[in-house]
Amino acid sequence: MSDEHTPLLGRFNGDIHDSDHDIHEEELWLRRRRGGAILTLLVFFLVGAGALIVYYQDVMPRVLGDVDARDVDGFSGWHAYNEYTRQFHTPHPGNSRENGRIRAWLGSTADDHAKEAAKHNITMEVLHEDPSKPPIRMGWPWSMKDEYWFVDSRNLMVRVHGSEPGSNEGQVILINAHFDSVPTAPGVTDDGISVATMLELLRYYTTHQPKHTLIFLFNNNEEVGLIGAQAFVTHPWFKGVSSLVNLEGGGGGGRALLFRSNYPQGLHQLAGSGVPHVYASPLLSSMMKRGLFRSDTDYSVFSEYDVAGMDIAFVSPRSIYHSERDSIASIKPSAVQYMGDVALHAVRSMDQLEMAQEQQQSESVTGDAVFYDFLGRFLVVLSFTSYQVLNVLALIIEPLVGLWATHKKLRRNALLTIKTYSVDLVRGFALSFTSLVIIVLSLIIGANLLMACHPMVTYGSMGWVLLFLFLTAWTAMVASLELFQLLVRTRGWLEAKSDVLLCGMNCLWWLLVLAAVYEGTKATSMLYFAFYFLAGGALATALYHAINKNAVYRLPVVFLAQFLVPYTLVVQLVTMLTSFQRHTTVDGSPESAVYLGPCVIMTLIAISLQWWVQMAGDTRVLLKISSILLLMSFIVCLFAPRFDDTLSPNKIEYYENYNATAPNSTVMLVSKHAENDIRRVLDANEYETLKCAQNRDGLDVCFYTSVKPPLYGVDAENEYKFDYEAWCADGTCKVTGEYTSAHSLMCRILFVEGAASITSAWINGGETLRNRTIQGISAFKDTYNAPVPWGFTYSNAPDMPVPRARFTCVYDEWMQGEIPGYMDLRNRLPGHIIPLVLGEGLATVNFMETDFKQ
């Protein structure tokens, strides 16, 4: 069918035959030389281009001082770093005095900015006290199913009035970050940099009045369950909010990722705003929906109210997340500059949009968008309609390109062209699909073998694992080519058409784009890169048949057309995935999920290179070399470290439970592959009580008895007061009481028995709960030792049980020795293990348990 034979299909170990004549020695030498050139091109491109892509996308911005920022109308990273970020030097959870210090400092700084804004005739309101106190049904793992919290908001809000009339009505832009941390971390990236960024933006708007009103929400108690955001949606200021920039931290600095958005207009505006660097992908959002990334942000709260927004967060390295290493020593000023640049351009982009409130909100609800960056410099934004149209066009155009190429070669009638193309398509698909199956099976075997022999190696040695997975896919691909050479029929297919594997590869990409179209109907875009693989394959087909086959530039041009853009996107994708996902396994994410993304990407790369390796020839020798390299990489992975004391320390969650005045407390540790280290550091008495088991997430859950209980629980007499009175009448009993706690702002009344009898309940001055199941009522105060009123009613019917309740308080301050068990374990652990708590509740003290009989 074709007059062009595939070069370098011979073995070079005996007589070599063309389909028509013997290949002369000189021609054989030329083919070998071209085959070596092709392999050299592949190796240099994979390594060199990959390194350049990673380097270029990871280049951090130059940090601007005040003068430089003023000259370019930009963000002053040095000022934000020096004046604001350095304030986050100590853990400051909502249940701590340090949190109060941070809150007071934020309020004072905001007041100073308001005074400066007034000098420029800009109205800036600062609201220090937020009376919001909605009932919040908690869903945290350690809370009861139907436990309701009444929280003193403690949010700080600043409103910058816009220049346009009526800008407070319906087009208010909300900029949000939380200023609390977990008890075990200074919280520089979670979420100190975001707060510093907001303060610097506030400072910027003291001299640059926006068109639309801006609200800066410094919210508190995010770490306990997004409480600050839930409180704000009940505040009167929220009614005018139409758009959002949410700033978060789930990693250790670096580049801030735009990972969620329901605001296509804002994204388009941001893409054209001249933002100097942008890191964006919708993949993390899809992973969160599927439970592969266990985290959440305030964005979720606001999006439920149809607020159009962008969610921007640090995501890697996640190993220091919620730990003591989330400190000023772990970040660089360039991380502050990066987030500041993106946030400022995002706010200005939203401020420049002009549309009616009704139109904006209507489109934000259904305004899903496909967005991703290219080389960290360009933001690509498509509506889902445009995304689907492009994919469908690619599905139509690629077969037409294949028909054109076949017709150009045959120069026959249309019927023969279609017949020949169909035969080539079936053959190519059979070959490529066979290779795909071999590659996928090899990766499944290789990944499972590595997980079985050396689990968690991805955590600390992901680079070696990536090399092993690539060599696995590469070797499997070469092995499939060798198999095709051994089989007479498939060897004939390869000899009959030089680009039959290119045709088959394009067929696979066609199916991948078809899957992307189907996925797009579900408003998700995890396969956004599929279009580029199919478009690149179609362009390569066109160029391969359009350029003179004797032209020296033909193959390099075809290769770059086919592979450059798709390779760039998948390198970006694999670096993003591995930079944060590898550190999620100690949080309960399955290690198989860490392997999944790289395996898919290595499969795509191997299939893309198959045609080129076939043209290079001598697959038998190449298979031997590849197999040796694969074995060597596997051995290296077997001895590679899981954890280290720098970027990949193991993490242990610490939770302590104590019954007041008892001699011992119970400590629960949750970890992954840390049981031996735990046993090694415990003292003899603790070791004897240690019991461990695996939970459903594959995490090791260990319990032991500590002789060093929380100090405030030991001194219960001076720590709390709990009084109540009860009376019954007409079939209903009523209990009212009051409690105080000297060193905890977070106390709970949990109904451990008889919750079904309760008909209403109230606490902390909040609304009365009725017509619902109530298993607990809790208060999160803003003042220590302040009286907290509470009460409930229950049915006095003979068949209804009398409620029994447990009064507990949570303690999170430990740096002065308040929780000696935690400090003792922290000091014993080696450098490659760090203790932490995911939310709040480092230690819980059960002070009393009582029923409420009259």
Side-chain angles (χ1 to χ4, degrees):
M1 299 177 192
S2 171
D3 59 353
E4 184 177 353
H5 296 285
T6 303
L8 299 175
L9 290 177
R11 299 289 189 208
F12 309 128
N13 57 353
D15 293 336
I16 299 178
H17 302 280
D18 193 12
S19 57
D20 299 316
H21 61 276
D22 293 339
I23 300 176
H24 299 295
E25 291 296 327
E26 181 178 356
E27 186 178 354
L28 175 61
W29 180 81
L30 289 174
R31 291 188 177 186
R32 283 177 168 172
R33 183 177 178 183
R34 188 168 77 161
I38 291 174
L39 289 176
T40 301
L41 172 66
L42 295 184
V43 172
F44 272 91
F45 183 85
L46 289 173
V47 177
L52 284 174
I53 292 167
V54 173
Y55 170 78
Y56 188 74
Q57 72 172 7
D58 287 345
V59 171
M60 298 296 285
R62 182 174 69 91
V63 186
L64 302 181
D66 281 348
V67 175
D68 291 334
R70 182 190 61 209
D71 291 344
V72 298
D73 192 26
F75 182 89
S76 178
W78 276 121
H79 186 272
Y81 178 81
N82 291 329
E83 298 298 324
Y84 305 141
T85 309
R86 290 184 177 275
Q87 290 286 336
F88 300 95
H89 49 72
T90 305
H92 47 281
N95 188 24
S96 70
R97 291 165 180 80
E98 183 66 13
N99 183 274
R101 182 193 70 82
I102 292 289
R103 180 186 174 201
W105 163 71
L106 287 172
S108 174
T109 305
D111 286 337
D112 291 342
H113 288 327
K115 293 175 183 176
E116 183 64 26
K119 297 177 182 178
H120 298 87
N121 297 318
I122 298 174
T123 301
M124 188 178 288
E125 299 175 74
V126 181
L127 193 60
H128 294 268
E129 300 295 334
D130 177 8
S132 304
K133 197 179 298 184
I136 298 172
R137 184 174 180 267
M138 293 302 293
W140 245 220
W142 47 265
S143 64
M144 301 188 75
K145 180 181 178 181
D146 292 298
E147 179 181 347
Y148 291 87
W149 287 39
F150 290 84
V151 182
D152 292 338
S153 169
R154 293 189 284 165
N155 290 340
L156 175 71
M157 291 169 281
V158 183
R159 182 160 64 179
V160 183
H161 288 252
S163 59
E164 292 191 348
S167 61
N168 287 353
E169 304 295 330
Q171 292 198 41
V172 176
I173 302 168
L174 175 65
I175 304 99
N176 174 77
H178 68 91
F179 65 84
D180 63 313
S181 74
V182 296
T184 51
V188 170
T189 54
D190 185 21
D191 197 21
I193 292 179
S194 301
V195 172
T197 297
M198 283 179 57
L199 286 173
E200 189 61 31
L201 290 178
L202 194 60
R203 177 173 175 250
Y204 174 87
Y205 283 107
T206 60
T207 56
H208 300 74
Q209 186 174 19
K211 291 194 297 183
H212 301 103
T213 292
L214 309 179
I215 293 178
F216 289 79
L217 174 61
F218 300 87
N219 85 68
N220 204 359
N221 298 320
E222 186 269 355
E223 297 291 359
V224 195
L226 313 181
I227 286 178
Q230 293 186 67
F232 180 66
V233 297
T234 66
H235 193 275
W237 282 11
F238 179 69
K239 293 179 181 178
V241 172
S242 62
S243 52
L244 162 74
V245 176
N246 186 61
L247 305 178
E248 253 292 0
R255 298 190 296 158
L257 175 69
L258 170 60
F259 68 96
R260 283 197 289 186
S261 179
N262 60 352
Y263 196 4
Q265 300 95 335
L267 289 171
H268 281 290
Q269 194 76 20
L270 176 62
S273 68
V275 59
H277 36 258
V278 62
Y279 182 28
S281 173
L283 191 63
L284 183 55
S285 176
S286 299
M287 291 174 62
M288 291 171 68
K289 294 177 182 177
R290 290 164 173 77
L292 299 177
F293 186 71
R294 302 185 180 188
S295 191
D296 206 355
T297 72
D298 293 322
Y299 173 94
S300 297
V301 175
F302 298 122
S303 64
E304 290 180 0
Y305 291 84
D306 293 337
V307 175
M310 303 179 192
D311 208 0
I312 304 167
F314 297 108
V315 296
S316 65
R318 194 168 172 83
S319 57
I320 68 173
Y321 176 60
H322 281 182
S323 77
E324 286 186 66
R325 301 188 189 183
D326 183 11
S327 65
I328 196 73
S330 299
I331 69 154
K332 296 180 179 179
S334 56
V336 182
Q337 185 71 48
Y338 197 106
M339 175 168 273
D341 286 341
V342 176
L344 178 58
H345 281 80
V347 174
R348 289 199 300 213
S349 296
M350 293 180 183
D351 191 36
Q352 291 167 4
L353 287 172
E354 298 286 352
M355 63 175 63
Q357 175 188 4
E358 293 79 12
Q359 179 188 2
Q360 186 181 34
Q361 289 185 346
S362 174
E363 294 191 6
S364 71
V365 175
T366 58
D368 298 297
V370 181
F371 59 92
Y372 49 91
D373 74 280
F374 189 76
L375 291 174
R377 297 297 184 275
F378 311 101
L379 180 61
V380 180
V381 181
L382 296 169
S383 68
F384 261 93
T385 300
S386 301
Y387 174 69
Q388 293 289 66
V389 168
L390 282 177
N391 282 332
V392 171
L393 284 176
L395 292 175
I396 296 172
I397 292 173
E398 192 283 327
L400 296 178
V401 172
L403 285 169
W404 169 82
T406 304
H407 178 72
K408 185 177 185 297
K409 181 169 293 187
L410 294 177
R411 300 188 182 280
R412 305 282 180 88
N413 60 63
L415 185 62
L416 182 60
T417 296
I418 294 173
K419 180 180 179 182
T420 302
Y421 175 69
S422 299
V423 171
D424 293 341
L425 195 66
V426 171
R427 290 177 174 179
F429 177 74
L431 293 170
S432 295
F433 185 76
T434 301
S435 294
L436 175 65
V437 171
I438 294 173
I439 292 169
V440 170
L441 289 176
S442 299
L443 284 169
I444 291 174
I445 294 171
N448 280 279
L449 185 62
L450 195 53
M451 280 191 287
C453 296
H454 197 25
M456 295 289 290
V457 66
T458 52
Y459 193 89
S461 301
M462 193 68 205
W464 288 113
V465 174
L466 289 176
L467 178 61
F468 167 73
L469 294 177
F470 170 75
L471 289 173
T472 299
W474 170 275
T475 304
M477 177 265 290
V478 176
S480 69
L481 291 175
E482 181 64 18
L483 175 64
F484 299 155
Q485 287 295 320
L486 294 175
L487 301 176
V488 175
R489 176 169 294 184
T490 53
R491 183 170 67 243
W493 292 353
L494 292 171
E495 291 175 349
K497 180 175 173 58
S498 62
D499 61 338
V500 67
L501 285 177
L502 177 60
C503 185
M505 178 194 70
N506 286 342
C507 193
L508 292 182
W509 299 155
W510 194 92
L511 293 175
L512 187 65
V513 171
L514 188 64
V517 171
Y518 173 76
E519 183 200 26
T521 63
K522 310 295 183 181
T524 56
S525 54
M526 290 183 67
L527 298 177
Y528 65 88
F529 52 83
F531 168 82
Y532 294 97
F533 277 93
L534 183 57
L539 182 59
T541 299
L543 292 173
Y544 183 72
H545 290 277
I547 300 175
N548 188 300
K549 66 180 181 180
N550 295 318
V552 295
Y553 59 84
R554 181 194 188 201
L555 292 183
V557 168
V558 172
F559 176 76
L560 291 176
Q562 177 214 328
F563 200 50
L564 180 59
V565 174
Y567 184 64
T568 300
L569 289 175
V570 295
V571 168
Q572 290 183 208
L573 193 57
V574 77
T575 53
M576 183 195 74
L577 281 172
T578 57
S579 66
F580 73 85
Q581 195 182 13
R582 66 189 178 110
H583 288 143
T584 64
T585 47
V586 294
D587 299 331
S589 296
E591 190 176 10
S592 57
V594 180
Y595 279 93
L596 178 61
C599 282
V600 170
I601 291 170
M602 298 310 171
T603 300
L604 297 174
I605 293 175
I607 290 294
S608 298
L609 298 177
Q610 185 183 29
W611 178 46
W612 297 95
V613 175
Q614 177 232 340
M615 284 199 294
D618 211 358
T619 52
R620 181 171 297 173
V621 174
L622 188 58
L623 179 59
K624 292 178 181 179
I625 296 173
S626 301
S627 299
I628 293 172
L629 293 175
L630 175 61
L631 179 61
M632 292 173 61
S633 69
F634 180 73
I635 294 173
V636 170
C637 286
L638 289 181
F639 292 95
R642 294 182 178 126
F643 311 109
D644 58 48
D645 56 3
T646 54
L647 284 181
S648 298
N650 197 358
K651 297 190 285 190
I652 295 179
E653 294 177 45
Y654 181 98
Y655 303 98
E656 187 171 359
N657 193 280
Y658 176 60
N659 294 323
T661 72
N664 304 316
S665 64
T666 300
V667 174
M668 180 178 73
L669 303 178
V670 183
S671 64
K672 187 87 169 181
H673 288 283
E675 183 178 338
N676 290 335
D677 289 292
I678 293 171
R679 293 182 182 277
R680 186 167 59 88
V681 301
L682 295 181
D683 64 30
N685 293 329
E686 293 170 337
Y687 184 86
E688 288 181 1
T689 63
L690 182 67
K691 295 180 180 179
C692 297
Q694 279 197 348
N695 65 12
R696 63 182 181 180
D697 292 326
L699 298 177
D700 299 320
V701 181
C702 297
F703 294 88
Y704 67 88
T705 299
S706 171
V707 296
K708 300 176 180 178
L711 296 186
Y712 299 131
V714 175
D715 189 22
E717 183 177 350
N718 295 316
E719 175 60 20
Y720 85 102
K721 292 181 181 180
F722 187 89
D723 300 308
Y724 70 91
E725 59 180 10
W727 63 95
C728 300
D730 300 324
T732 299
C733 295
K734 184 174 184 179
V735 180
T736 60
E738 185 178 272
Y739 73 78
T740 60
S741 175
H743 297 92
S744 176
L745 299 174
M746 188 194 310
C747 294
R748 309 156 70 197
I749 299 173
L750 307 177
F751 299 107
V752 294
E753 294 178 11
S757 303
I758 297 174
T759 55
S760 67
W762 59 92
I763 194 172
N764 197 26
E767 69 178 75
T768 300
L769 303 172
R770 292 186 176 91
N771 302 319
R772 65 187 80 186
T773 301
I774 303 170
Q775 292 184 313
I777 49 175
S778 304
F780 204 154
K781 292 289 292 181
D782 64 354
T783 306
Y784 290 95
N785 223 19
V788 178
W790 59 273
F792 65 94
T793 61
Y794 67 93
S795 173
N796 194 29
D799 59 339
M800 300 300 288
V802 176
R804 183 173 181 82
R806 179 185 302 132
F807 176 67
T808 73
C809 291
V810 174
Y811 295 89
D812 291 306
E813 294 177 308
W814 57 271
M815 299 191 71
Q816 303 302 318
E818 299 94 328
I819 308 177
Y822 174 77
M823 289 198 69
D824 185 53
L825 179 68
R826 166 181 171 267
N827 293 332
R828 290 189 198 177
L829 287 171
H832 68 274
I833 301 179
I834 48 179
L836 54 83
V837 63
L838 290 183
E840 291 196 21
L842 198 58
T844 298
V845 176
N846 306 308
F847 284 109
M848 62 173 294
E849 191 168 307
T850 183
D851 54 34
F852 298 98
K853 294 181 180 179
Q854 186 178 3

